[in-house]
Amino acid sequence: MSKIEIKKKSSDAADFNLYTLSECAITLAYDVEINTFTFYQISHLKEIIYKNPFAGFQCAVPAYASMTIFYDPIQVMQSKKLRGINCFEKISNYLSQIKEAFSANQAIKKPPIIIPVCYEDEYAPDIKELAKFLNLTIDNVVQIHVEAHYKVHMIGFVPGFPYLGGMSERLSVPRKNTPLKKVPAGSVGIAGKQTGIYPFDTPGGWCLIGRTPMTLFDTERIQPSLLQAGDEVIFDPISKQDFERIKSKENAIKDH
Amino acid sequence: MRLKIIKPGIMTSIQDLGRWEYRSEGVPSSGAMDTLAARIANIALGNAPHEAVIEFTYGNIAIQTQSDMLLAYSGEGGTFFIEKQLLTPGKPIFIPSGTVLNLVNNPSSVYTYLAVAGGWDIKDILGSKSTYITAGFGGVQGRALKIGDELSNNHNYTDTTKKILLKLQGKKINFPKWHLNKMSFIYHQTVVRVVPAHEFTWFEASSLLNFLSSSYELNVNSNRMGYQLDGPKLNRSVKKELLSTAVCPGTIQVTNDGSLMLLMADSQTIGGYPRIAQVAAVDLPTCAQLSPGNTISFAEISRTDAEKRYLERENQLRKLAIAVAMAVNK
């Protein structure tokens, strides 16, 4: 197992370790817990990589305190621009160069993405029980959930599923003991200190407190996943009528 | 060229070499479980490496040609027969319209791949034709193939494909003498090379010894997402939680009860279990073909060695395609 450390070049970019995930992937990992600083570091680094990709670059997958870069080893090895005798060296060198661009090239803070959510009974099968468990009213639960600004740390589980950090600890609940066989698409769930949205009808064990009419993942869009790691999100409470209206609009776009 | 599914078997789907550019949006790569077999079937026809193939799981499958066809298959999940005549894998075979092909199961293996001259005519979704059933996209309407489905080919043949077709077409089943032997690429049937993963040192020394010296048996509870491997349980010396991070096909995770889960083509993009090792990409096809009850053991290699083997394999496959082109030029 080899590891190299890229030395701190400027005051802006934090240190990360690099390790091999597979023949086609390298992970850069920050030696920290989840925090806002790392979140911005990863988002910014991802942006720079996508703007200046190396030959053979396929994608960069952010997670809580890491980002993994996938590539085609044949193209990486053929590239004369990347220095090194193997893919690990070549991509390490590329990342060192990228880090130099880091300080000069400040991340542009994007406005938050607003996700409409209906918290009414029909779409919130677990909200009553949750309120009882937390010793809150249903309105309190909604208010606390809506007040926070969320950060998309990563997309995973299924295509388009955002893991959102930033939820108030007052809403923290354990996962359900028996996962539901079919959670309806659009369901907004809570588990531990996280909240997330189910893009498809899938099994799931999170506590369901609302539903969005937005289509979270659509292969016909240029960017299939509505949310990307690095995005910031705000939930906007809507009525059942608004839900139906937005939903039919979304379906019309989908069928178009 | 067109064929019809008469008996679809338990899980038949369109796959190619996978969808690798959308992992950041949570999209698994999917693609053929045994990429080596998928590639050999395409090479035998002179197709480009990324052309779609039909992936069959086990046997009990029947298909019928609806026009004259040029097909090739590879993989050990089963053997194709036309009535009593066995078809050899790894060679282009001309088959007249109206012929029924039966895939007879091989109990010790799983996947078989069928390629067609020019590749199957399937729409690209996010840069790949692979079927991903969980989210319902790719392949034929994002689902497994069923009775009555018909599949056609692309007509943009390579020069090699054109020459093969010209040589073999006629009124009868026809094929050349040569065939491509997939087994010549296999390192070992029961030993799989692995590179220690990032959390390798999180496990007790005795567990690491067990991991590298014991046999592990494939649990029946295995599918395109992951293979559960039964054997000595692994104990952790470092008890901290792993912050979820990227994983990929070939990653061996250790679940909370100490058992091994080898991630396969449809696996999630992110995982939170510690990773003990990564199967060398060149040996992942061997794993894919394990049938429940089969056993494997692991042998450690370095990451540079794994990369070298990967580049070598790619070079060998490139040479194989050139050899086919030369064989049909004679």
Side-chain angles (χ1 to χ4, degrees), chain B residues 128-169:
Chain B
S128 162
K129 298 177 171 71
S130 292
T131 313
Y132 177 48
I133 292 175
T134 306
F137 61 76
V140 174
Q141 295 161 12
R143 59 165 171 81
L145 296 179
K146 58 184 191 200
I147 296 177
D149 277 343
E150 294 198 11
L151 294 161
S152 305
N153 72 334
N154 281 319
H155 298 268
N156 46 342
Y157 303 138
T158 63
D159 285 347
T160 304
T161 308
K162 281 180 201 158
K163 281 175 191 156
I164 296 172
L165 189 56
L166 210 63
K167 258 194 182 165
L168 298 178
Q169 67 188 354

mmCIF file of all heavy atoms in Angstrom, chain B residues 128-169:
data_model
loop_
_atom_site.group_PDB
_atom_site.id
_atom_site.type_symbol
_atom_site.label_atom_id
_atom_site.label_comp_id
_atom_site.label_asym_id
_atom_site.label_seq_id
_atom_site.Cartn_x
_atom_site.Cartn_y
_atom_site.Cartn_z
ATOM 1 N N SER B 128 -23.694 4.658 -22.417
ATOM 2 C CA SER B 128 -23.550 3.202 -22.404
ATOM 3 C C SER B 128 -24.881 2.535 -22.731
ATOM 4 O O SER B 128 -25.952 3.113 -22.531
ATOM 5 C CB SER B 128 -23.063 2.746 -21.021
ATOM 6 O OG SER B 128 -23.290 1.362 -20.826
ATOM 7 N N LYS B 129 -24.791 1.294 -23.244
ATOM 8 C CA LYS B 129 -25.998 0.532 -23.571
ATOM 9 C C LYS B 129 -26.381 -0.428 -22.447
ATOM 10 O O LYS B 129 -27.380 -1.130 -22.529
ATOM 11 C CB LYS B 129 -25.774 -0.244 -24.871
ATOM 12 C CG LYS B 129 -25.509 0.673 -26.069
ATOM 13 C CD LYS B 129 -25.221 -0.116 -27.346
ATOM 14 C CE LYS B 129 -25.182 0.784 -28.564
ATOM 15 N NZ LYS B 129 -23.993 1.665 -28.608
ATOM 16 N N SER B 130 -25.567 -0.443 -21.387
ATOM 17 C CA SER B 130 -25.785 -1.403 -20.302
ATOM 18 C C SER B 130 -27.125 -1.183 -19.597
ATOM 19 O O SER B 130 -27.537 -0.054 -19.358
ATOM 20 C CB SER B 130 -24.665 -1.294 -19.270
ATOM 21 O OG SER B 130 -23.458 -1.747 -19.839
ATOM 22 N N THR B 131 -27.752 -2.289 -19.232
ATOM 23 C CA THR B 131 -29.023 -2.245 -18.509
ATOM 24 C C THR B 131 -28.749 -2.073 -17.023
ATOM 25 O O THR B 131 -27.934 -2.793 -16.453
ATOM 26 C CB THR B 131 -29.781 -3.581 -18.700
ATOM 27 O OG1 THR B 131 -29.755 -3.938 -20.075
ATOM 28 C CG2 THR B 131 -31.221 -3.466 -18.215
ATOM 29 N N TYR B 132 -29.449 -1.112 -16.389
ATOM 30 C CA TYR B 132 -29.379 -0.972 -14.936
ATOM 31 C C TYR B 132 -30.810 -1.062 -14.424
ATOM 32 O O TYR B 132 -31.571 -0.094 -14.469
ATOM 33 C CB TYR B 132 -28.705 0.345 -14.557
ATOM 34 C CG TYR B 132 -28.678 0.582 -13.061
ATOM 35 C CD1 TYR B 132 -28.263 -0.427 -12.193
ATOM 36 C CD2 TYR B 132 -29.081 1.782 -12.524
ATOM 37 C CE1 TYR B 132 -28.246 -0.227 -10.828
ATOM 38 C CE2 TYR B 132 -29.064 2.007 -11.154
ATOM 39 C CZ TYR B 132 -28.654 0.991 -10.308
ATOM 40 O OH TYR B 132 -28.654 1.181 -8.953
ATOM 41 N N ILE B 133 -31.186 -2.227 -13.980
ATOM 42 C CA ILE B 133 -32.590 -2.529 -13.692
ATOM 43 C C ILE B 133 -33.125 -1.734 -12.496
ATOM 44 O O ILE B 133 -34.261 -1.261 -12.529
ATOM 45 C CB ILE B 133 -32.777 -4.056 -13.532
ATOM 46 C CG1 ILE B 133 -32.563 -4.716 -14.905
ATOM 47 C CG2 ILE B 133 -34.177 -4.392 -12.990
ATOM 48 C CD1 ILE B 133 -32.593 -6.210 -14.918
ATOM 49 N N THR B 134 -32.320 -1.541 -11.454
ATOM 50 C CA THR B 134 -32.787 -0.843 -10.252
ATOM 51 C C THR B 134 -33.402 0.519 -10.584
ATOM 52 O O THR B 134 -34.442 0.886 -10.046
ATOM 53 C CB THR B 134 -31.630 -0.661 -9.254
ATOM 54 O OG1 THR B 134 -31.058 -1.940 -9.014
ATOM 55 C CG2 THR B 134 -32.105 -0.068 -7.940
ATOM 56 N N ALA B 135 -32.743 1.276 -11.476
ATOM 57 C CA ALA B 135 -33.262 2.599 -11.824
ATOM 58 C C ALA B 135 -34.020 2.555 -13.146
ATOM 59 O O ALA B 135 -34.531 3.570 -13.608
ATOM 60 C CB ALA B 135 -32.127 3.607 -11.899
ATOM 61 N N GLY B 136 -34.083 1.386 -13.777
ATOM 62 C CA GLY B 136 -34.892 1.209 -14.981
ATOM 63 C C GLY B 136 -34.413 1.955 -16.203
ATOM 64 O O GLY B 136 -35.219 2.493 -16.962
ATOM 65 N N PHE B 137 -33.106 1.983 -16.432
ATOM 66 C CA PHE B 137 -32.651 2.564 -17.701
ATOM 67 C C PHE B 137 -31.540 1.733 -18.333
ATOM 68 O O PHE B 137 -30.944 0.884 -17.692
ATOM 69 C CB PHE B 137 -32.260 4.035 -17.548
ATOM 70 C CG PHE B 137 -31.131 4.331 -16.587
ATOM 71 C CD1 PHE B 137 -29.823 4.078 -16.937
ATOM 72 C CD2 PHE B 137 -31.395 4.889 -15.344
ATOM 73 C CE1 PHE B 137 -28.782 4.381 -16.066
ATOM 74 C CE2 PHE B 137 -30.374 5.194 -14.472
ATOM 75 C CZ PHE B 137 -29.059 4.930 -14.829
ATOM 76 N N GLY B 138 -31.294 2.012 -19.607
ATOM 77 C CA GLY B 138 -30.295 1.278 -20.373
ATOM 78 C C GLY B 138 -30.877 0.003 -20.962
ATOM 79 O O GLY B 138 -31.959 -0.437 -20.559
ATOM 80 N N GLY B 139 -30.161 -0.568 -21.937
ATOM 81 C CA GLY B 139 -30.602 -1.813 -22.568
ATOM 82 C C GLY B 139 -31.959 -1.653 -23.222
ATOM 83 O O GLY B 139 -32.248 -0.637 -23.852
ATOM 84 N N VAL B 140 -32.828 -2.649 -23.077
ATOM 85 C CA VAL B 140 -34.183 -2.596 -23.623
ATOM 86 C C VAL B 140 -35.101 -2.085 -22.516
ATOM 87 O O VAL B 140 -35.380 -2.801 -21.558
ATOM 88 C CB VAL B 140 -34.639 -3.990 -24.119
ATOM 89 C CG1 VAL B 140 -36.103 -3.965 -24.561
ATOM 90 C CG2 VAL B 140 -33.751 -4.450 -25.277
ATOM 91 N N GLN B 141 -35.514 -0.850 -22.585
ATOM 92 C CA GLN B 141 -36.437 -0.212 -21.625
ATOM 93 C C GLN B 141 -36.014 -0.405 -20.171
ATOM 94 O O GLN B 141 -36.854 -0.509 -19.281
ATOM 95 C CB GLN B 141 -37.855 -0.770 -21.824
ATOM 96 C CG GLN B 141 -38.429 -0.401 -23.183
ATOM 97 C CD GLN B 141 -39.602 -1.300 -23.587
ATOM 98 O OE1 GLN B 141 -40.121 -2.052 -22.776
ATOM 99 N NE2 GLN B 141 -40.000 -1.231 -24.840
ATOM 100 N N GLY B 142 -34.740 -0.509 -19.936
ATOM 101 C CA GLY B 142 -34.238 -0.610 -18.567
ATOM 102 C C GLY B 142 -34.628 -1.882 -17.844
ATOM 103 O O GLY B 142 -34.635 -1.918 -16.616
ATOM 104 N N ARG B 143 -34.931 -2.934 -18.611
ATOM 105 C CA ARG B 143 -35.398 -4.170 -17.972
ATOM 106 C C ARG B 143 -34.670 -5.395 -18.533
ATOM 107 O O ARG B 143 -33.935 -5.303 -19.514
ATOM 108 C CB ARG B 143 -36.910 -4.326 -18.176
ATOM 109 C CG ARG B 143 -37.308 -4.373 -19.649
ATOM 110 C CD ARG B 143 -38.731 -4.891 -19.832
ATOM 111 N NE ARG B 143 -39.199 -4.756 -21.206
ATOM 112 C CZ ARG B 143 -38.897 -5.597 -22.188
ATOM 113 N NH1 ARG B 143 -38.114 -6.645 -21.975
ATOM 114 N NH2 ARG B 143 -39.375 -5.388 -23.414
ATOM 115 N N ALA B 144 -34.951 -6.539 -17.875
ATOM 116 C CA ALA B 144 -34.430 -7.814 -18.373
ATOM 117 C C ALA B 144 -35.195 -8.174 -19.647
ATOM 118 O O ALA B 144 -36.340 -7.743 -19.834
ATOM 119 C CB ALA B 144 -34.612 -8.893 -17.315
ATOM 120 N N LEU B 145 -34.576 -8.959 -20.513
ATOM 121 C CA LEU B 145 -35.250 -9.368 -21.748
ATOM 122 C C LEU B 145 -36.312 -10.413 -21.417
ATOM 123 O O LEU B 145 -36.169 -11.191 -20.475
ATOM 124 C CB LEU B 145 -34.233 -9.929 -22.748
ATOM 125 C CG LEU B 145 -33.177 -8.927 -23.236
ATOM 126 C CD1 LEU B 145 -32.202 -9.596 -24.194
ATOM 127 C CD2 LEU B 145 -33.833 -7.720 -23.907
ATOM 128 N N LYS B 146 -37.405 -10.397 -22.179
ATOM 129 C CA LYS B 146 -38.485 -11.354 -21.940
ATOM 130 C C LYS B 146 -38.914 -12.031 -23.240
ATOM 131 O O LYS B 146 -38.489 -11.634 -24.323
ATOM 132 C CB LYS B 146 -39.653 -10.659 -21.241
ATOM 133 C CG LYS B 146 -40.221 -9.485 -22.005
ATOM 134 C CD LYS B 146 -41.314 -8.782 -21.202
ATOM 135 C CE LYS B 146 -42.031 -7.797 -22.099
ATOM 136 N NZ LYS B 146 -42.757 -6.756 -21.391
ATOM 137 N N ILE B 147 -39.800 -13.018 -23.098
ATOM 138 C CA ILE B 147 -40.289 -13.772 -24.261
ATOM 139 C C ILE B 147 -40.822 -12.816 -25.327
ATOM 140 O O ILE B 147 -41.569 -11.891 -25.007
ATOM 141 C CB ILE B 147 -41.443 -14.729 -23.860
ATOM 142 C CG1 ILE B 147 -40.938 -15.797 -22.893
ATOM 143 C CG2 ILE B 147 -42.084 -15.385 -25.078
ATOM 144 C CD1 ILE B 147 -42.017 -16.730 -22.389
ATOM 145 N N GLY B 148 -40.423 -13.052 -26.552
ATOM 146 C CA GLY B 148 -40.957 -12.273 -27.660
ATOM 147 C C GLY B 148 -40.152 -11.030 -28.005
ATOM 148 O O GLY B 148 -40.352 -10.443 -29.058
ATOM 149 N N ASP B 149 -39.224 -10.615 -27.124
ATOM 150 C CA ASP B 149 -38.366 -9.464 -27.445
ATOM 151 C C ASP B 149 -37.558 -9.770 -28.709
ATOM 152 O O ASP B 149 -37.079 -10.883 -28.889
ATOM 153 C CB ASP B 149 -37.371 -9.193 -26.304
ATOM 154 C CG ASP B 149 -37.995 -8.361 -25.187
ATOM 155 O OD1 ASP B 149 -39.043 -7.741 -25.423
ATOM 156 O OD2 ASP B 149 -37.420 -8.343 -24.084
ATOM 157 N N GLU B 150 -37.445 -8.759 -29.562
ATOM 158 C CA GLU B 150 -36.630 -8.926 -30.759
ATOM 159 C C GLU B 150 -35.491 -7.920 -30.738
ATOM 160 O O GLU B 150 -35.682 -6.776 -30.345
ATOM 161 C CB GLU B 150 -37.482 -8.738 -32.022
ATOM 162 C CG GLU B 150 -38.525 -9.835 -32.157
ATOM 163 C CD GLU B 150 -39.083 -9.959 -33.565
ATOM 164 O OE1 GLU B 150 -38.523 -9.345 -34.497
ATOM 165 O OE2 GLU B 150 -40.084 -10.690 -33.716
ATOM 166 N N LEU B 151 -34.327 -8.366 -31.144
ATOM 167 C CA LEU B 151 -33.145 -7.496 -31.152
ATOM 168 C C LEU B 151 -32.519 -7.497 -32.534
ATOM 169 O O LEU B 151 -32.383 -8.554 -33.156
ATOM 170 C CB LEU B 151 -32.124 -8.002 -30.129
ATOM 171 C CG LEU B 151 -32.546 -7.922 -28.665
ATOM 172 C CD1 LEU B 151 -31.686 -8.841 -27.819
ATOM 173 C CD2 LEU B 151 -32.433 -6.485 -28.167
ATOM 174 N N SER B 152 -32.143 -6.285 -32.989
ATOM 175 C CA SER B 152 -31.493 -6.168 -34.297
ATOM 176 C C SER B 152 -30.064 -5.692 -34.120
ATOM 177 O O SER B 152 -29.693 -5.236 -33.041
ATOM 178 C CB SER B 152 -32.231 -5.155 -35.166
ATOM 179 O OG SER B 152 -33.578 -5.507 -35.266
ATOM 180 N N ASN B 153 -29.297 -5.759 -35.200
ATOM 181 C CA ASN B 153 -27.898 -5.312 -35.105
ATOM 182 C C ASN B 153 -27.708 -3.945 -35.744
ATOM 183 O O ASN B 153 -28.599 -3.421 -36.413
ATOM 184 C CB ASN B 153 -26.965 -6.343 -35.748
ATOM 185 C CG ASN B 153 -27.080 -6.343 -37.263
ATOM 186 O OD1 ASN B 153 -28.122 -5.976 -37.822
ATOM 187 N ND2 ASN B 153 -26.016 -6.735 -37.929
ATOM 188 N N ASN B 154 -26.531 -3.369 -35.501
ATOM 189 C CA ASN B 154 -26.097 -2.157 -36.204
ATOM 190 C C ASN B 154 -25.476 -2.580 -37.523
ATOM 191 O O ASN B 154 -24.829 -3.624 -37.586
ATOM 192 C CB ASN B 154 -25.003 -1.448 -35.401
ATOM 193 C CG ASN B 154 -25.577 -0.665 -34.257
ATOM 194 O OD1 ASN B 154 -26.609 -0.020 -34.400
ATOM 195 N ND2 ASN B 154 -24.913 -0.729 -33.123
ATOM 196 N N HIS B 155 -25.614 -1.746 -38.535
ATOM 197 C CA HIS B 155 -25.087 -2.159 -39.848
ATOM 198 C C HIS B 155 -23.729 -1.572 -40.183
ATOM 199 O O HIS B 155 -23.187 -1.858 -41.234
ATOM 200 C CB HIS B 155 -26.103 -1.827 -40.941
ATOM 201 C CG HIS B 155 -27.395 -2.561 -40.755
ATOM 202 N ND1 HIS B 155 -27.637 -3.781 -41.335
ATOM 203 C CD2 HIS B 155 -28.474 -2.279 -39.988
ATOM 204 C CE1 HIS B 155 -28.839 -4.210 -40.956
ATOM 205 N NE2 HIS B 155 -29.358 -3.309 -40.130
ATOM 206 N N ASN B 156 -23.210 -0.740 -39.299
ATOM 207 C CA ASN B 156 -21.902 -0.147 -39.599
ATOM 208 C C ASN B 156 -20.773 -1.121 -39.244
ATOM 209 O O ASN B 156 -20.141 -1.014 -38.207
ATOM 210 C CB ASN B 156 -21.722 1.197 -38.893
ATOM 211 C CG ASN B 156 -22.140 1.148 -37.437
ATOM 212 O OD1 ASN B 156 -22.860 0.234 -37.031
ATOM 213 N ND2 ASN B 156 -21.670 2.085 -36.645
ATOM 214 N N TYR B 157 -20.555 -2.111 -40.131
ATOM 215 C CA TYR B 157 -19.556 -3.147 -39.879
ATOM 216 C C TYR B 157 -18.137 -2.624 -40.057
ATOM 217 O O TYR B 157 -17.880 -1.788 -40.912
ATOM 218 C CB TYR B 157 -19.761 -4.320 -40.845
ATOM 219 C CG TYR B 157 -21.135 -4.944 -40.795
ATOM 220 C CD1 TYR B 157 -21.800 -5.300 -41.962
ATOM 221 C CD2 TYR B 157 -21.762 -5.194 -39.574
ATOM 222 C CE1 TYR B 157 -23.057 -5.891 -41.934
ATOM 223 C CE2 TYR B 157 -23.027 -5.786 -39.527
ATOM 224 C CZ TYR B 157 -23.665 -6.120 -40.708
ATOM 225 O OH TYR B 157 -24.898 -6.695 -40.671
ATOM 226 N N THR B 158 -17.216 -3.171 -39.282
ATOM 227 C CA THR B 158 -15.798 -2.889 -39.517
ATOM 228 C C THR B 158 -15.357 -3.701 -40.740
ATOM 229 O O THR B 158 -16.070 -4.625 -41.180
ATOM 230 C CB THR B 158 -14.930 -3.316 -38.320
ATOM 231 O OG1 THR B 158 -15.040 -4.740 -38.173
ATOM 232 C CG2 THR B 158 -15.372 -2.649 -37.023
ATOM 233 N N ASP B 159 -14.190 -3.383 -41.280
ATOM 234 C CA ASP B 159 -13.672 -4.126 -42.438
ATOM 235 C C ASP B 159 -13.548 -5.603 -42.112
ATOM 236 O O ASP B 159 -13.878 -6.462 -42.936
ATOM 237 C CB ASP B 159 -12.301 -3.570 -42.855
ATOM 238 C CG ASP B 159 -12.450 -2.235 -43.572
ATOM 239 O OD1 ASP B 159 -13.596 -1.897 -43.953
ATOM 240 O OD2 ASP B 159 -11.430 -1.528 -43.734
ATOM 241 N N THR B 160 -13.064 -5.885 -40.895
ATOM 242 C CA THR B 160 -12.889 -7.285 -40.489
ATOM 243 C C THR B 160 -14.244 -7.993 -40.484
ATOM 244 O O THR B 160 -14.378 -9.110 -40.999
ATOM 245 C CB THR B 160 -12.244 -7.352 -39.084
ATOM 246 O OG1 THR B 160 -11.018 -6.626 -39.136
ATOM 247 C CG2 THR B 160 -11.976 -8.778 -38.662
ATOM 248 N N THR B 161 -15.260 -7.348 -39.919
ATOM 249 C CA THR B 161 -16.591 -7.963 -39.860
ATOM 250 C C THR B 161 -17.115 -8.242 -41.271
ATOM 251 O O THR B 161 -17.648 -9.320 -41.545
ATOM 252 C CB THR B 161 -17.571 -7.031 -39.111
ATOM 253 O OG1 THR B 161 -16.990 -6.684 -37.858
ATOM 254 C CG2 THR B 161 -18.911 -7.704 -38.877
ATOM 255 N N LYS B 162 -16.929 -7.262 -42.160
ATOM 256 C CA LYS B 162 -17.394 -7.436 -43.547
ATOM 257 C C LYS B 162 -16.752 -8.664 -44.181
ATOM 258 O O LYS B 162 -17.406 -9.452 -44.850
ATOM 259 C CB LYS B 162 -17.040 -6.197 -44.388
ATOM 260 C CG LYS B 162 -17.987 -5.024 -44.174
ATOM 261 C CD LYS B 162 -17.557 -3.850 -45.048
ATOM 262 C CE LYS B 162 -18.115 -2.549 -44.509
ATOM 263 N NZ LYS B 162 -17.353 -1.375 -44.951
ATOM 264 N N LYS B 163 -15.433 -8.820 -43.947
ATOM 265 C CA LYS B 163 -14.706 -9.944 -44.541
ATOM 266 C C LYS B 163 -15.178 -11.275 -43.964
ATOM 267 O O LYS B 163 -15.318 -12.262 -44.687
ATOM 268 C CB LYS B 163 -13.199 -9.770 -44.317
ATOM 269 C CG LYS B 163 -12.607 -8.780 -45.308
ATOM 270 C CD LYS B 163 -11.156 -8.517 -45.029
ATOM 271 C CE LYS B 163 -10.689 -7.330 -45.864
ATOM 272 N NZ LYS B 163 -9.520 -6.681 -45.266
ATOM 273 N N ILE B 164 -15.409 -11.300 -42.630
ATOM 274 C CA ILE B 164 -15.877 -12.539 -41.996
ATOM 275 C C ILE B 164 -17.234 -12.926 -42.597
ATOM 276 O O ILE B 164 -17.467 -14.079 -42.973
ATOM 277 C CB ILE B 164 -16.011 -12.366 -40.460
ATOM 278 C CG1 ILE B 164 -14.644 -12.100 -39.818
ATOM 279 C CG2 ILE B 164 -16.643 -13.608 -39.827
ATOM 280 C CD1 ILE B 164 -14.688 -11.720 -38.339
ATOM 281 N N LEU B 165 -18.107 -11.943 -42.724
ATOM 282 C CA LEU B 165 -19.456 -12.183 -43.238
ATOM 283 C C LEU B 165 -19.397 -12.717 -44.674
ATOM 284 O O LEU B 165 -20.053 -13.703 -45.013
ATOM 285 C CB LEU B 165 -20.252 -10.872 -43.170
ATOM 286 C CG LEU B 165 -21.735 -10.947 -43.461
ATOM 287 C CD1 LEU B 165 -22.427 -11.954 -42.544
ATOM 288 C CD2 LEU B 165 -22.377 -9.570 -43.285
ATOM 289 N N LEU B 166 -18.562 -12.073 -45.480
ATOM 290 C CA LEU B 166 -18.416 -12.471 -46.878
ATOM 291 C C LEU B 166 -17.957 -13.918 -46.991
ATOM 292 O O LEU B 166 -18.432 -14.693 -47.816
ATOM 293 C CB LEU B 166 -17.390 -11.534 -47.535
ATOM 294 C CG LEU B 166 -17.560 -11.268 -49.024
ATOM 295 C CD1 LEU B 166 -18.886 -10.550 -49.267
ATOM 296 C CD2 LEU B 166 -16.404 -10.411 -49.538
ATOM 297 N N LYS B 167 -17.025 -14.299 -46.104
ATOM 298 C CA LYS B 167 -16.460 -15.655 -46.133
ATOM 299 C C LYS B 167 -17.459 -16.711 -45.700
ATOM 300 O O LYS B 167 -17.455 -17.827 -46.198
ATOM 301 C CB LYS B 167 -15.253 -15.710 -45.183
ATOM 302 C CG LYS B 167 -13.938 -15.639 -45.937
ATOM 303 C CD LYS B 167 -12.783 -16.033 -45.064
ATOM 304 C CE LYS B 167 -11.525 -15.876 -45.901
ATOM 305 N NZ LYS B 167 -10.333 -15.886 -45.097
ATOM 306 N N LEU B 168 -18.295 -16.366 -44.697
ATOM 307 C CA LEU B 168 -19.096 -17.419 -44.065
ATOM 308 C C LEU B 168 -20.525 -17.507 -44.570
ATOM 309 O O LEU B 168 -21.189 -18.539 -44.408
ATOM 310 C CB LEU B 168 -19.120 -17.213 -42.543
ATOM 311 C CG LEU B 168 -17.784 -17.283 -41.807
ATOM 312 C CD1 LEU B 168 -17.994 -17.013 -40.325
ATOM 313 C CD2 LEU B 168 -17.114 -18.645 -42.006
ATOM 314 N N GLN B 169 -21.045 -16.421 -45.157
ATOM 315 C CA GLN B 169 -22.487 -16.445 -45.455
ATOM 316 C C GLN B 169 -22.837 -17.450 -46.544
ATOM 317 O O GLN B 169 -22.040 -17.762 -47.409
ATOM 318 C CB GLN B 169 -23.007 -15.045 -45.782
ATOM 319 C CG GLN B 169 -22.478 -14.449 -47.058
ATOM 320 C CD GLN B 169 -22.888 -12.981 -47.196
ATOM 321 O OE1 GLN B 169 -23.653 -12.462 -46.398
ATOM 322 N NE2 GLN B 169 -22.384 -12.325 -48.215
#
